[in-house]
Amino acid sequence: MADTPVMCSKGHVFWANWVAGASVTTIRLGPRRIGWCKSGGHVAMLKRADERELTDEQRSELYGR
């Protein structure tokens, strides 16, 4: 189980264990989930982030640079 970049509906990005077809701490809604945004500290709609589409600010938030 590898960490996956995840983005919340407010644009925060963070690493999470994202297992297709399974979720313990989130509510699945197709390809998106409702869950806790670790980066922003709020409940939000979550989706897998495409690293190629992230802004420089989001990349630095994700990789800690």
Side-chain angles (χ1 to χ4, degrees), residues 6 8 14-16 25-27 33-46:
V6 175
C8 82
F14 56 94
W15 295 100
T25 60
T26 60
I27 299 170
R33 299 177 183 186
I34 296 175
W36 185 254
C37 172
K38 296 177 188 178
S39 184
H42 57 92
V43 174
M45 184 71 71
L46 308 174

Side-chain angles (χ1 to χ4, degrees), residues 1 3 7 20 22 25-26 36 48 51-52 54-56 63:
M1 185 167 26
D3 281 343
M7 179 185 295
T25 60
T26 60
W36 185 254
R48 292 179 70 167
E51 293 182 66
R52 298 170 292 178
L54 296 177
T55 65
D56 290 337
Y63 292 105

